[in-house]
Amino acid sequence: MSTPPKVCVLRAPGTNCDIETAHAFDLCGAESTRIHLLKLLENPSQLNDYQILCLPGGFSYGDDVGAGVIFASHLQGQLADVIGNFLAADKLVLGICNGFQVLLKAGILPGGAAGWPLKSDQSRDATLTWNTNGKYTSLWVNLGAMAPQNVFLKGIDQIELPIAHAEGRIAVSDPAIVQGWKDNQQIAMCYRAAGDAETTLQEEILPYPVNPNGSACNIAALSDPAGRVLGLMPHPERFLFATQHPQWTRLGLTGEGAGIQLFRNAVNYFE
């Protein structure tokens, strides 16, 4: 039996999904450790002991100056070198909700290792900002996977997951940015209507609640070009068991929830 991969679930003040995220990895055979950002800052080299880095959901530092901004600044500062080494190795990075906001605002996404670190005078082409409705939104959404090379999405064509965020709308500085992502297969998942036969990238923004935040081209998740980094707004750790679905009795759902597959894919990558 191969050695289970070690997962660093990196939390910060305001993170509130770290326990269930670590549990998701452990259910799939990994060995997870919840590490506080301040402890990692004391000894950045300890990150080298892990094969998977996960930034879970929540409201890091209260999102006081923008979602994920302060957390991202720490990754760009004292942790820049160890993060760079992690991205360059054959390892995986997952950012969920606030974690996705951190990855994008730190510059880990969309470029991954190729884009790290951001130069001080380099502008960001994309961000995650306030939902079109201007408020925190919590509901279940249907998603279509569009990045077959991404490790986390192996074998996933479509999936239903819950979202819970106020700043989940992807905004880009130029429509050409989205085309570049499409060409590199970096658009990992898009919101889609239930029952759609396939997922297609379209400029027309789908109406609420299909697209709950007004995200450009209905994008819900991004991948790096190598397929080893994934940032997504929905919460797969909140659908590990069928009974977590709001209609599990009506639909006759039993056993595992669909969200666990993302974590299992990550663990199986190291077999």
Side-chain angles (χ1 to χ4, degrees):
M1 183 177 179
S2 60
T3 303
K6 298 179 65 177
V7 183
C8 170
V9 179
L10 188 60
R11 62 190 183 94
T15 297
N16 59 26
C17 298
D18 50 308
I19 294 177
E20 52 265 58
T21 301
H23 182 57
F25 280 110
D26 291 343
L27 283 174
C28 297
E31 294 182 359
S32 299
T33 304
R34 294 161 48 239
I35 298 179
H36 198 285
L37 175 63
L38 299 183
K39 288 295 184 181
L40 185 60
L41 288 170
E42 291 176 359
N43 179 21
S45 64
Q46 65 183 296
L47 186 61
N48 298 327
D49 297 333
Y50 296 88
Q51 288 75 50
I52 303 172
L53 170 64
C54 181
L55 280 59
F59 300 90
S60 60
Y61 293 94
D63 289 345
D64 286 342
V65 295
V69 172
I70 298 177
F71 199 158
S73 70
H74 285 298
L75 300 187
Q76 294 170 315
Q78 187 177 341
L79 298 175
D81 288 343
V82 72
I83 292 293
N85 292 336
F86 198 95
L87 293 172
D90 189 20
K91 298 183 177 183
L92 304 179
V93 180
L94 176 65
I96 303 171
C97 197
N98 189 253
F100 181 17
Q101 294 162 341
V102 174
L103 294 181
L104 192 58
K105 294 179 180 182
I108 293 174
L109 282 174
W116 183 264
L118 284 177
K119 298 178 180 178
S120 59
D121 60 348
Q122 186 176 350
S123 61
R124 293 174 178 80
D125 296 322
T127 191
L128 283 157
T129 188
W130 277 92
N131 301 343
T132 302
N133 63 15
K135 59 184 180 181
Y136 174 85
T137 302
S138 177
L139 47 79
W140 284 68
V141 295
N142 290 284
L143 305 146
M146 301 183 66
Q149 89 287 4
N150 190 279
V151 171
F152 295 93
L153 300 180
K154 182 180 180 181
I156 298 175
D157 177 56
Q158 57 181 333
I159 191 170
E160 187 181 9
L161 294 173
I163 60 101
H165 58 251
E167 299 179 55
R169 176 169 62 90
I170 289 183
V172 296
S173 59
D174 189 315
I177 300 301
V178 174
Q179 184 59 49
W181 292 343
K182 180 181 179 181
D183 294 343
N184 292 328
Q185 293 187 309
Q186 290 182 252
I187 298 175
M189 291 196 291
C190 284
Y191 301 108
R192 55 180 280 180
D196 280 359
E198 60 180 346
T199 305
T200 57
L201 185 69
Q202 52 186 319
E203 291 185 12
E204 180 183 358
I205 296 175
L206 296 171
Y208 179 94
V210 178
N211 179 338
N213 49 44
S215 186
C217 297
N218 309 299
I219 299 171
L222 290 175
S223 170
D224 72 321
R228 291 187 290 103
V229 181
L230 178 68
L232 73 164
M233 287 311 300
H235 285 268
E237 83 284 2
R238 297 184 183 182
F239 193 22
L240 304 179
F241 309 102
T243 50
Q244 291 177 300
H245 192 284
Q247 294 183 312
W248 72 275
T249 53
R250 181 180 301 176
L251 297 176
L253 302 179
T254 60
E256 294 181 341
I260 199 169
Q261 187 61 42
L262 280 82
F263 302 98
R264 180 171 290 123
N265 284 339
V267 174
N268 289 347
Y269 180 71
F270 296 97
E271 286 187 343

